[in-house]
Amino acid sequence: MIRGGKSFVSSPPSFSNDAKKLLVCTGNTVSIFSTDTGLQVTELEGHTALVTSIIVEPAPTPASTILCYCWTSSLDGTIKYWDFSVSELMKTINIQLPIYSMVVPSFLAHKSENSEKLSDIYAYISVEDTKNEQNKQRNELSGKILKCNLSKSHLVPGVILSESKKPEKITISSTGKYIGIHEKRKIRIWEVPTKDLKNISPRKLKLSHTKNLSCIAFHPTDRILVAGDVTGRILIWRGFGDKTFAGSNLENEKLLKDEDEKPGVRGNGDADSCTTWHWHSSEVKVLSFSSEGVYLYSGGKEGVLVLWQLDTGKKVFLPRIGTPLLNFMSSPDPSLASVSCADNRIHILKMPRMEILKSISGIKLPSPVPEMFRGSCKDFVFDHTAGLVAVRTENYCIQFYSLFDDREISEVQVCERNHQPSDDVTMILNLVALSFEGSVMCTVETRMAEEGIGGFVTLKFWERGSQNNDFSLSTVIYEPHRDAGVSAVAFHPTRGMALSASYGGDFKVWVSNHEIQQNDRLIQRTRWACHAVGSYRKKPMTAAAFSNDGSVLAIAAETVITLWDPEKNVLVAVIGSTREPIENLSFIGDSNFLVSTSQGSNSQLSVWSMAKLSVSWSYKLHTEAIACSEKDSHFAVLVVLPESSKADVATSHSGAILLFNAGDPVPVASWFVAKAKGGGIAFIQRNRSLDDDMDENEGQVLLAYVNGEHEYAVFNPHGVEMQERKVRHTDSVSVTGPEVTGQIGYASIYGKLPEFKLEAGAESATLSERPWETIFSGPSHSLPPLTKLCSDFLESLLKKRTGTLI
Amino acid sequence: MAVGDRSEAIVKTFAVKPKLKPTNKKSTSSPESKYWKSFRPKQTQTLVSSITSLAFSPTSPHDFAATHSATVTIFSSKTLEPKSTIASFKDTATSACFRSDGQLLAAGSYSGQIQVFDVKKRSVLRRLPGHSRPVHFVSYPRVDKLHLFSGGDDSIVKYWDVSSETSICNLIGHKDYVRCGDGSPASDDMFITGSYDHTVRVWDVRVSKIASMLSINHGAPVEDVIYLPSGGLIATAGGNIVKIWDVIGGGKLLHSMESHNKTVTSICVGKTGINSVNSTNQYRILSVSLDGYLKVFNYSTLKITSSTRFPSSLMSVAFSPDCNTRVVGSANGVLYAGKRKTNENIESVESEWGKHIGFGAIEEPEKRILRPSYFRYFHRGQNEKPSKGDYLIMRPKRLKLAEHDKLLKKFLHKEALVSALKAKNPENVVAVMEELVSRKKLLKCVSNLGVDELGLLMGFLQKYCTMPRYAGVLIVLVKKVVEHRIDDISGSDELKGYVRNLKRLIVEEIRIQESLQEIQGIISPLLKTAGRR
């Protein structure tokens, strides 16, 4: 099983002591990237839940910068100590509470005092108190900040710095002298005692603001605190804590001054002055001081990194990063820094000039879709042969991500626009489709109108160049179906033919024409031109698929499936109807079955027999995606489990993957998965180079599952029994955590089956609330005699009438 | 983790571009059609009447002769101006033909007499009487300087010995007017003639006793016939059809080209100078017709490669052997002569010029050795031409930004719209409008426009709003503009005028749409029945 697609930006990364490596939290593991090449070097595996913070142990002397030890904390309630040069786990401290943030002040303070090294290392951790469930329900404070002795690996008893509604991120000053958290409109600051002894709880101080705060940062040398708020203001408190933290002998003098000389400080906050900078137009997410404290870095939703000169307020910008910024990390090497962006990308910056040196990019996160396009957008498609997934990104690009290598292959800019995260969405990339061999891509984009002016849909065909990595635009078609949106695009499996179906009630078949231009050298061009147009009773076409040999074209016209001859554009047959518009259609391999899904209140998964032109079997299931194997007659569906059945399954499992054989309504295998909503599955061909440790069946295909947050897993759907035999595999499966969780083998299917049987039965047995509409539906031979039905029918009608009258 | 410089991937400049136009499937700008277009026809002086024939001299500088009314005019191929006129005809002159050395010219006449002239002195050297009816066809063999063959309306083909002014033999076989013919490029003793009896006959004077070697039925009165350069194929023109035959293969029809609408009057062989490597592929058939079209037919790919329309019916065509001049004669006496404009021409002229003024070798200035103290030392090698094997690193092309692009970059939306409107390219204006729509600023721009700028916009709208390409955007915009700026419009007479025009346009457009719908109503049942079949 291959996993990947983890978020790189869930927690701040950390540089190693020599700044050659960058440690990034990627889900349950810590990935270590080289800052020179931007490629992954190694991985630290051991945590069973999301890793929330990484702290690299600083080198006590400059000579020992090669030492590579780090502490990590995770939501699984453990703190682990690693030697990351050899990726070896040294020590585990079990706190048993999910840790959301951890800081270790003693790493930062007093590097010169060697005697200090012998004393214990204390960490402050922000945890969620999940032990007493009752607390939660009573809406009490579950977030706590605790102190932990890392050397002796236990919590310091009795030290609870604060309690809050939910665990907050702890910020620490770069000298390790102060730690702080921000909660809504308040900031709490503690001074860490220099002699960090067991039970002394540090002195604390509170500052408040009128807006919700989003981040804070401490000045490295002076007592200056900056905080960003949700409106884009940066607040600077100078001389905080003069009263609380400074010696008590000064207290009286200060008190006298307090009342009049605290410009800008709200309430009785303990600070000399508070000033505000307002440049950012929306929430400030990043605040960080340069190491000597002269400059301040800030960034936010606009995707602009701003460098402020603290004394003068002068600004320098790194503009147009294109996505909201999440984190800024300066490194031990003054010429390097890193910026984490919300599009799952970490930029390594060359520092004084703020130039992007390298980018480490993970799979792009799902981009939000406006309500009106909810139905007509598809987040990603698979390239079956190359094992790639093409992800639609927010900045109008298609990212090609290798499932096997877990890295970005390329990015294609589809619309000629720069994305600004704070702007309104006026253009959207609706659909992506890839041809079977992956050489042609088709994209659909929609420009939204401004009060009815100038919106249009564009269909674009892209050809992969000979270098086999870059797509180039071959044909642009404006308004392919007048003003109607495109609902589906399908490619012919063998020929240069594509189909676009629209909600406007027609579909078009496009064919490619090769043409060679002899202008000095051979330039081969391909153009796509309309070959045929068809429609079925002006019904909106909602889904389309070519059969595997390309001889039949199935198009769903709302609730019926129409079959066409793609060459001659002749309607061949129309098959039965479903209750809701069909969302997805697919031919199953070489078998003569067609599978369709529809969503809505009567969502349905139906398998149609092409030989009989009738429904073969169907379930009432909310199906998110279908994947059909090319060779044999297997297909897999991703099902979102209904709310009611969630009770008996573990709560983290929102969906299931069911593997069917086309002729048989009993699933062959099933797996529970998390975050199924918005996910997708596909059969992909095995990459030869990866086959070493897997079984030797060359012809077999793997099943890839991408969940709603673009994390994925690739596994062999037929190797279920085999995996049960392999002890190693079952181990890894049981430790999987929330992503793709426990696989249930063939044997345990029978425990699960009755549930589906029930549902299938329920569908046929229960009448809808308007029985007169469905009482006659069904094949005539299975209906009861008309004489019997008639009275029922009349009765049902009468009942309803009286009901409405009264 | 894509490796690479991402900084430019983040900030990109996209110029506002109009929507692409649908391109024609047959690319009109293929190099060949460009070549044929380069013969820009220059209308020289109008001659008296219909130009019955055109002929190029086989020797350089390839002057050409045109026969019209009772004269033969010789034109210089350099200047395309008449050089001299021969007027010693009693009746309409026909079928001028140069001898292979270009010194003599033979021409027929409606009087039936054939005359041979000295081209330079314009004097008549020989008169060949013999035809009783008008002679439409006289020709020298390709190389032979001593003989002529001719065909007349008396349906007799004659082979002449020029020096003795006697006909060697009468070739009888045609049953109607003989109007055309051509000598074989392979043998001087063979030639073909075409007649109004629909046949083309191949003659060999060595076996003159036999009627004709071969007879081909074209299917229509033959207006012109030529040998193609290989000598194995002939092309015949008659009716609106040009046919290609294989004479060696016994007169087999190879292809029939029917792209003219009226009678094809003349054909000739042209040559494209494009790919000198493959010389067999560069010959084309040029045909002219009464419908006023000149078509260029590539008989190796069997495709029309170029088609040019002339304003009047065309009678004759000729193409110079050096591929630099093409002349087309029309029925109303206008001669369209076109010279190809190429860089080579200019260069060759220059080189000749150089020959004339070159007084021995001019000393080239000695190349100075570059030393590090010179400024140019540091620039050395920058103007070096890359050699064949070098890998070229192109400098990234700078995107050229138009005025409105620069303004859009500065978020000066109204100014951008106004500058696009002033530039008067409707495509760009619509593109700028679309860009403004995607910034959700178009209506704000409209309400910010000053009165004279509004006039500019209204002028644009009334000009283009019903044009199908832009109607989708503009018609809605018109409505919004009128809604938003009703006060300003009612205050200005000029704007009121625009609105009045718009109203009229809309009425007109509605009428067009209605009639189109009517037509659709008529056509769609027809299409349905056609589709059913």
Side-chain angles (χ1 to χ4, degrees):
Chain A
M1 182 181 288
I2 304 164
R3 292 162 185 292
K6 296 295 190 309
S7 171
F8 290 177
V9 295
S10 58
S11 319
S14 184
F15 279 99
S16 69
N17 285 325
D18 52 359
K20 293 254 169 68
K21 287 169 181 169
L22 184 69
L23 286 76
V24 180
C25 305
T26 50
N28 302 348
T29 59
V30 175
S31 300
I32 299 169
F33 291 90
S34 161
T35 54
D36 291 338
T37 60
L39 295 174
Q40 186 169 349
V41 180
T42 176
E43 221 175 18
L44 307 179
E45 289 178 9
H47 283 291
T48 55
L50 195 69
V51 179
T52 50
S53 58
I54 306 169
I55 297 162
V56 176
E57 197 171 298
T61 56
S64 57
T65 49
I66 42 162
L67 282 182
C68 301
Y69 298 103
C70 70
W71 293 88
T72 60
S73 70
S74 159
L75 291 185
D76 62 0
T78 56
I79 299 171
K80 286 179 196 274
Y81 186 51
W82 307 84
D83 180 353
F84 62 82
S85 59
V86 290
S87 59
E88 202 174 73
L89 179 61
M90 315 263 290
K91 187 175 179 181
T92 303
I93 303 166
N94 200 344
I95 306 292
Q96 290 172 338
L97 296 170
I99 304 164
Y100 282 84
S101 180
M102 173 174 77
V103 290
V104 184
S106 58
F107 283 166
L108 301 164
H110 313 299
K111 282 173 193 171
S112 51
E113 293 178 46
N114 283 332
S115 58
E116 201 80 15
K117 265 186 78 183
L118 298 170
S119 71
D120 294 348
I121 305 165
Y122 290 96
Y124 292 89
I125 53 175
S126 167
V127 299
E128 185 178 17
D129 197 354
T130 51
K131 270 184 178 165
N132 33 1
E133 285 286 313
Q134 301 93 324
N135 269 8
K136 240 191 200 170
Q137 275 152 21
R138 272 186 277 131
N139 212 0
E140 274 199 14
L141 308 170
S142 65
K144 281 180 184 163
I145 293 180
L146 305 174
K147 193 173 175 187
C148 175
N149 187 334
L150 294 179
S151 309
K152 302 232 174 79
S153 43
H154 62 80
L155 283 173
V156 178
V159 179
I160 298 174
L161 292 188
S162 82
E163 289 187 325
S164 54
K165 279 212 177 125
K166 56 183 179 36
E168 301 288 346
K169 187 178 170 257
I170 310 175
T171 312
I172 189 164
S173 72
S174 60
T175 51
K177 208 173 174 192
Y178 305 103
I179 60 171
I181 61 164
H182 58 91
E183 182 194 8
K184 291 198 171 164
R185 300 177 182 181
K186 289 203 174 60
I187 302 171
R188 293 154 191 253
I189 305 160
W190 294 269
E191 187 184 35
V192 180
T194 41
K195 282 281 177 187
D196 214 349
L197 294 174
K198 253 192 177 177
N199 292 327
I200 296 173
S201 68
R203 287 180 282 185
K204 65 178 173 184
L205 140 78
K206 250 189 216 178
L207 291 170
S208 60
H209 181 49
T210 52
K211 297 275 172 3
N212 280 354
L213 295 161
S214 51
C215 56
I216 55 173
F218 291 94
H219 192 276
T221 51
D222 299 344
R223 274 217 286 271
I224 298 174
L225 173 76
V226 293
D229 74 1
V230 289
T231 59
R233 289 183 177 84
I234 298 171
L235 304 150
I236 305 151
W237 281 281
R238 288 169 199 271
F240 68 86
D242 279 347
K243 201 167 57 181
T244 324
F245 300 151
S248 53
N249 50 346
L250 294 171
E251 208 167 303
N252 292 333
E253 294 173 43
K254 290 281 170 187
L255 268 174
L256 294 173
K257 281 204 227 161
D258 266 350
E259 303 311 314
D260 34 37
E261 286 184 39
K262 287 205 288 184
V265 180
R266 257 165 229 291
N268 50 359
D270 182 11
D272 277 354
S273 67
C274 177
T275 49
T276 306
W277 285 338
H278 196 173
W279 182 86
H280 292 279
S281 61
S282 50
E283 189 177 357
V284 180
K285 282 283 197 182
V286 174
L287 280 175
S288 173
F289 279 101
S290 64
S291 56
E292 72 291 345
V294 179
Y295 297 104
L296 172 72
Y297 297 96
S298 76
K301 206 185 163 195
E302 312 88 350
V304 182
L305 186 65
V306 187
L307 177 62
W308 303 82
Q309 197 173 11
L310 198 63
D311 290 339
T312 59
K314 281 182 181 161
K315 302 178 286 285
V316 181
F317 305 98
L318 172 62
R320 292 190 155 196
I321 296 173
T323 64
L325 306 181
L326 296 179
N327 263 309
F328 179 86
M329 269 286 159
S330 49
S331 75
D333 180 354
S335 69
L336 281 182
S338 80
V339 172
S340 309
C341 303
D343 66 346
N344 208 1
R345 182 175 271 179
I346 299 173
H347 295 296
I348 295 168
L349 304 181
K350 184 160 179 67
M351 232 16 244
R353 283 186 289 166
M354 295 208 289
E355 209 173 67
I356 293 173
L357 275 182
K358 286 279 176 297
S359 293
I360 300 168
S361 48
I363 197 162
K364 289 291 167 72
L365 300 176
S367 50
V369 176
E371 196 59 51
M372 57 190 294
F373 295 109
R374 200 46 61 80
S376 65
C377 280
K378 216 171 157 195
D379 233 5
F380 45 81
V381 289
F382 293 89
D383 183 345
H384 304 275
T385 47
L388 302 180
V389 59
V391 185
R392 188 172 64 88
T393 69
E394 205 168 3
N395 54 348
Y396 318 117
C397 291
I398 300 288
Q399 184 196 30
F400 285 88
Y401 198 83
S402 168
L403 292 174
F404 293 116
D405 301 338
D406 193 12
R407 65 195 216 93
E408 184 189 79
I409 300 293
S410 62
E411 208 174 55
V412 181
Q413 176 107 31
V414 173
C415 316
E416 289 200 326
R417 278 196 89 72
N418 286 312
H419 174 69
Q420 278 305 102
S422 50
D423 287 357
D424 291 346
V425 179
T426 56
M427 183 182 241
I428 187 161
L429 193 57
N430 294 90
L431 290 175
V432 196
L434 282 170
S435 69
F436 278 67
E437 73 283 4
S439 65
V440 186
M441 176 169 75
C442 180
T443 59
V444 178
E445 69 203 53
T446 309
R447 276 195 190 217
M448 288 171 219
E450 182 191 10
E451 298 191 31
I453 306 173
F456 60 91
V457 181
T458 314
L459 185 73
K460 285 179 177 170
F461 285 98
W462 304 77
E463 301 275 338
R464 201 189 275 276
S466 50
Q467 284 84 19
N468 210 30
N469 48 13
D470 47 342
F471 276 97
S472 59
L473 187 60
S474 94
T475 309
V476 183
I477 298 148
Y478 299 105
E479 310 191 2
H481 299 277
R482 299 227 189 80
D483 47 354
V486 176
S487 59
V489 178
F491 274 99
H492 193 282
T494 49
R495 283 189 46 200
M497 184 186 267
L499 173 115
S500 65
S502 87
Y503 293 112
D506 61 341
F507 68 87
K508 287 189 178 177
V509 178
W510 308 90
V511 290
S512 66
N513 301 312
H514 290 282
E515 137 185 332
I516 294 165
Q517 266 185 352
Q518 227 167 18
N519 199 354
D520 292 349
R521 63 209 157 114
L522 227 66
I523 302 165
Q524 196 168 2
R525 287 205 52 194
T526 314
R527 292 162 197 248
W528 289 78
C530 187
H531 172 70
V533 186
S535 68
Y536 181 75
R537 296 189 180 170
K538 301 277 175 216
K539 280 189 182 173
M541 303 290 192
T542 49
F546 276 99
S547 72
N548 258 22
D549 57 349
S551 61
V552 183
L553 174 61
I555 301 168
E558 271 196 323
T559 57
V560 298
I561 301 171
T562 57
L563 299 175
W564 301 76
D565 182 340
E567 290 294 329
K568 296 177 196 146
N569 197 32
V570 179
L571 181 64
V572 179
V574 179
I575 330 180
S577 69
T578 57
R579 292 199 192 155
E580 298 274 340
I582 292 169
E583 299 265 313
N584 209 335
L585 265 182
S586 186
F587 282 91
I588 304 168
D590 51 4
S591 68
N592 48 6
F593 288 98
L594 175 70
V595 57
S596 76
T597 66
S598 54
Q599 292 186 2
S601 56
N602 283 313
S603 53
Q604 197 174 336
L605 166 74
S606 314
V607 175
W608 310 80
S609 163
M610 288 291 101
K612 295 180 206 152
L613 291 179
S614 66
V615 66
S616 175
W617 51 270
S618 83
Y619 282 125
K620 184 177 177 179
L621 285 175
H622 183 81
T623 313
E624 195 69 31
I626 333 175
C628 293
S629 66
E630 276 175 61
K631 301 274 160 51
D632 44 16
S633 59
H634 283 98
F635 73 97
V637 291
L638 175 64
V639 172
V640 176
L641 297 177
E643 293 295 324
S644 57
S645 70
K646 245 186 225 172
D648 19 291
V649 193
T651 45
S652 61
H653 304 155
S654 65
I657 299 174
L658 305 175
L659 183 68
F660 288 98
N661 208 336
D664 187 11
V666 179
V668 178
S670 71
W671 299 268
F672 285 116
V673 292
K675 300 170 197 162
K677 190 86 188 149
I681 48 175
F683 284 99
I684 53 174
Q685 263 156 34
R686 175 169 300 174
N687 205 336
R688 291 280 174 272
S689 60
L690 282 160
D691 279 354
D692 306 337
D693 63 330
M694 298 203 157
D695 38 317
E696 299 80 39
N697 304 351
E698 291 263 317
Q700 272 187 358
V701 288
L702 300 174
L703 190 62
Y705 164 62
V706 178
N707 73 10
E709 290 178 11
H710 289 186
E711 295 161 340
Y712 67 83
V714 180
F715 56 95
N716 184 356
H718 302 291
V720 184
E721 291 109 322
M722 202 171 291
Q723 278 186 5
E724 280 186 339
R725 271 194 272 120
K726 279 187 191 169
V727 185
R728 196 178 64 83
H729 260 278
T730 44
D731 273 351
S732 75
V733 162
S734 65
V735 190
T736 45
E739 272 70 42
V740 173
T741 44
Q743 299 186 9
I744 296 169
Y746 189 81
S748 53
I749 282 301
Y750 298 109
K752 194 176 150 27
L753 262 181
E755 189 194 339
F756 287 99
K757 275 279 160 70
L758 265 176
E759 278 171 352
E763 193 210 359
S764 59
T766 52
L767 290 170
S768 65
E769 63 271 27
R770 298 198 291 180
W772 63 90
E773 281 185 351
T774 52
I775 201 161
F776 292 115
S777 63
S780 59
H781 60 80
S782 64
L783 280 177
L786 258 186
T787 46
K788 264 189 189 173
L789 265 181
C790 185
S791 59
D792 279 349
F793 175 63
L794 283 174
E795 205 175 320
S796 71
L797 275 179
L798 284 170
K799 260 184 201 165
K800 202 67 193 178
R801 281 286 159 78
T802 52
T804 49
L805 275 172
I806 298 159
Chain B
M1 302 156 261
V3 184
D5 193 2
R6 285 278 165 181
S7 57
E8 57 181 329
I10 290 169
V11 188
K12 277 185 201 156
T13 314
F14 297 113
V16 171
K17 279 181 285 184
K19 284 186 193 176
L20 299 170
K21 275 185 205 164
T23 45
N24 198 354
K25 224 188 237 176
K26 285 175 215 144
S27 62
T28 46
S29 60
S30 80
E32 177 154 349
S33 71
K34 226 183 258 171
Y35 171 81
W36 290 113
K37 286 227 174 80
S38 70
F39 292 96
R40 175 81 31 94
K42 191 174 114 193
Q43 190 179 334
T44 54
Q45 84 201 83
T46 310
L47 303 175
V48 180
S49 67
S50 168
I51 295 159
T52 51
S53 79
L54 287 164
F56 270 97
S57 163
T59 56
S60 183
H62 303 293
D63 291 340
F64 61 94
T67 56
H68 57 97
S69 66
T71 49
V72 175
T73 310
I74 295 166
F75 290 82
S76 158
S77 68
K78 281 254 166 60
T79 59
L80 303 179
E81 292 297 322
K83 261 168 104 178
S84 56
T85 309
I86 302 165
S88 55
F89 290 95
K90 286 179 188 126
D91 206 338
T92 308
T94 58
S95 188
C97 177
F98 281 96
R99 201 169 76 169
S100 57
D101 58 0
Q103 290 186 355
L104 300 189
L105 177 86
S109 148
Y110 277 18
S111 63
Q113 195 180 49
I114 298 163
Q115 300 180 73
V116 179
F117 306 95
D118 186 314
V119 175
K120 288 221 177 93
K121 293 177 190 155
R122 292 183 282 158
S123 57
V124 183
L125 300 180
R126 292 287 186 276
R127 291 198 170 83
L128 311 174
H131 282 289
S132 55
R133 303 288 299 274
V135 175
H136 276 271
F137 156 60
V138 181
S139 177
Y140 271 105
R142 293 278 161 117
V143 185
D144 185 8
K145 294 177 181 175
L146 304 172
H147 298 92
L148 266 178
F149 41 85
S150 66
D153 284 1
D154 50 4
S155 71
I156 299 171
V157 178
K158 287 179 184 278
Y159 187 64
W160 300 88
D161 179 41
V162 180
S163 52
S164 61
E165 298 184 338
T166 53
S167 82
I168 297 170
C169 54
N170 287 347
L171 302 163
I172 298 161
H174 282 297
K175 298 183 184 76
D176 206 339
Y177 302 163
V178 178
R179 283 286 166 94
C180 54
D182 192 18
S184 163
S187 158
D188 277 351
D189 300 318
M190 286 177 72
F191 60 95
I192 48 174
T193 54
S195 152
Y196 275 13
D197 63 359
H198 301 190
T199 60
V200 172
R201 284 176 191 270
V202 183
W203 307 96
D204 190 341
V205 288
R206 291 167 294 190
V207 284
S208 55
K209 303 290 170 295
I210 314 163
S212 71
M213 306 290 293
L214 183 70
S215 162
I216 294 163
N217 193 343
H218 177 78
V222 180
E223 293 287 349
D224 202 356
V225 59
I226 52 165
Y227 267 105
L228 297 181
S230 64
L233 302 180
I234 63 167
T236 59
N240 56 355
I241 310 169
V242 175
K243 287 182 175 175
I244 295 166
W245 308 83
D246 182 3
V247 269
I248 294 174
K252 205 164 59 180
L253 178 66
L254 294 182
H255 189 256
S256 162
M257 174 189 96
E258 296 177 52
S259 64
H260 285 287
N261 296 325
K262 289 186 182 170
T263 307
V264 180
T265 49
S266 177
I267 52 179
C268 77
V269 172
K271 198 172 151 193
T272 64
I274 302 163
N275 46 349
S276 49
V277 186
N278 203 347
S279 60
T280 53
N281 276 340
Q282 50 186 331
Y283 290 107
R284 305 281 184 271
I285 298 173
L286 277 65
S287 62
V288 292
S289 151
L290 293 179
D291 60 7
Y293 276 98
L294 164 72
K295 304 233 174 189
V296 179
F297 180 71
N298 183 350
Y299 59 88
S300 58
T301 58
L302 305 177
K303 268 181 191 152
I304 304 270
T305 54
S306 161
S307 173
T308 319
R309 182 168 159 73
F310 289 89
S312 56
S313 299
L314 304 180
M315 292 301 291
S316 49
V317 62
F319 193 78
S320 80
D322 62 353
C323 305
N324 279 332
T325 321
R326 184 191 66 188
V327 281
V328 177
S330 77
N332 56 10
V334 182
L335 185 75
Y336 301 98
K339 266 189 89 66
R340 185 154 70 107
K341 244 194 196 154
T342 53
N343 300 335
E344 294 160 28
N345 284 358
I346 298 156
E347 271 170 29
S348 66
V349 167
E350 275 174 354
S351 66
E352 276 174 4
W353 180 247
K355 263 183 226 160
H356 290 302
I357 60 163
F359 303 105
I362 298 166
E363 276 176 44
E364 292 234 333
E366 203 177 301
K367 258 197 180 172
R368 288 197 297 179
I369 298 155
L370 291 172
R371 298 219 171 79
S373 57
Y374 297 166
F375 175 69
R376 277 171 59 195
Y377 174 83
F378 297 100
H379 284 254
R380 69 197 192 282
Q382 291 200 344
N383 299 327
E384 200 83 354
K385 291 268 162 60
S387 64
K388 231 181 184 180
D390 288 352
Y391 180 74
L392 272 178
I393 297 167
M394 292 310 216
R395 202 163 279 173
K397 256 189 190 169
R398 273 196 63 144
L399 201 64
K400 263 195 185 165
L401 290 181
E403 181 69 31
H404 55 254
D405 276 323
K406 285 175 193 157
L407 291 167
L408 280 172
K409 272 183 94 174
K410 292 178 195 156
F411 303 97
L412 297 169
H413 295 133
K414 188 198 83 175
E415 285 78 0
L417 182 62
V418 170
S419 97
L421 283 169
K422 277 182 182 154
K424 287 197 173 125
N425 184 345
E427 289 180 353
N428 283 342
V429 177
V430 173
V432 168
M433 283 175 180
E434 271 163 3
E435 175 64 27
L436 290 175
V437 162
S438 58
R439 296 183 184 194
K440 298 206 170 154
K441 291 289 185 295
L442 181 58
L443 292 182
K444 196 163 261 178
C445 279
V446 167
S447 46
N448 285 346
L449 286 175
V451 175
D452 46 341
E453 290 158 343
L454 187 65
L456 205 61
L457 177 66
M458 296 291 280
F460 172 79
L461 288 176
Q462 69 149 19
K463 199 166 175 191
Y464 292 106
C465 78
T466 52
M467 199 168 273
R469 270 194 80 190
Y470 315 121
V473 181
L474 295 186
I475 285 182
V476 193
L477 180 64
V478 168
K479 211 175 131 199
K480 295 280 176 192
V481 169
V482 173
E483 268 173 24
H484 276 76
R485 304 298 299 265
I486 188 76
D487 299 337
D488 298 292
I489 289 167
S490 54
S492 156
D493 283 334
E494 189 198 1
L495 294 179
K496 267 190 216 162
Y498 283 132
V499 171
R500 229 171 289 130
N501 282 343
L502 274 172
K503 212 170 169 183
R504 189 167 41 77
L505 265 175
I506 285 163
V507 170
E508 202 172 292
E509 183 65 21
I510 287 170
R511 207 179 304 133
I512 291 170
Q513 292 295 334
E514 276 172 357
S515 60
L516 281 176
Q517 272 182 347
E518 275 169 30
I519 293 168
Q520 196 184 13
I522 297 163
I523 290 175
S524 60
L526 294 176
L527 283 178
K528 275 244 167 89
T529 50
R532 213 166 284 155
R533 212 168 289 147

